Amino acid sequence: MSHQYILVQKKDRVGLITLNRPAVLNALNDTLMDEVCAALAHFDADEEIGCMVLTGSDKAFAAGADIGVMAQYGLMDVYKGDYITRNWAPISRIRKPIIAAVAGYALGGGCELAMLCDIIIAADNAKFAQPEVKLGTMPGAGGTQRLPRAVSKAKAMDMCLSARMMDATEAERAGLVSRVVPLAQLLSEVIKTAETIASYSLPIVMMIKEAVNRSYETGLAEGVHFERRLFYSTFASEDQKEGMHAFLEKRPAHFQHK
Ligand code: DAK
């Protein structure tokens, strides 16, 4: 498959997608998002892939939605065209884990795209912001919803209302990113983590993703109940037998993803 704005690679059981629109710091347009969605869906359906990584360049993960495109749109264009929603929403239905490897700017839609992933690992030069207010608009892909869940209401308000940039250290302290690594090691560290995840039983990994995501969308009792049902169901898998017997036999587990 050929792409205009992304690069796609398979590294053993890891699917790597690199945003590649350097002239505009990976600004997100429809073609780019169509390509990202298609590549993620392709890896999601590929039995040989256990985890995906989404990254950008050293300078920018993505500097937001393409302002040149948005500037021309009126209400009817965005509403009737289901602007962005049609090619962003499918990302939240991807069942395998996605890690965002963020270096440089993750602004507006770039920050929202990273938050659509399951884990954000940041380089020490990463900068996060929701600067839409400066353009006379507001976050439209989860900035006002996922950010407060990640970093607290006060910090999300601060970010969305003031448009200030949060550096990697603050983002880690606030809980937006899981860890910060030196820029030169970002991709190797992220791929190492993705390989570790991909080495585990795929259906179990998918269940864990599903269960953690459920915690965002339901109350505690319902969430714990959901977790318990999935936990019980892991006992019907061959990989649960393999994992536990491997421990008892003091040998590495060889998961068959079933
Ligand atoms: N769109 C288009 N072009 C962009 C861009 C963007 N978001 N960001 C940067 N560029 C372009 C610049 O215009 C420049 O192009 P040339 O002048 O070379 O032709 C080139 O990239 C390099 O940028 P700079 O020259 O500005 O580079 P600097 O290092 O000086 O500054 C910067 C880097 C990232 C601080 C600056 O470029 C900047 O502030 N960029 C805009 C950031 C921004 O405001 N982003 C938020 C956009 S609003 C939705 C989902 C999502 C969204 C909306 C709806 N739905 C689901 C409905 C998202 C909205 C947004 O993201």
Side-chain angles (χ1 to χ4, degrees), residues 23-25 27 59 63-67 70 83-84 107-109 112 135 140-141:
V24 286
L25 305 180
K59 183 158 187 208
D66 191 322
I67 300 169
M70 278 190 295
Y83 174 56
I84 300 191
L107 310 182
E112 291 166 316
L135 301 171

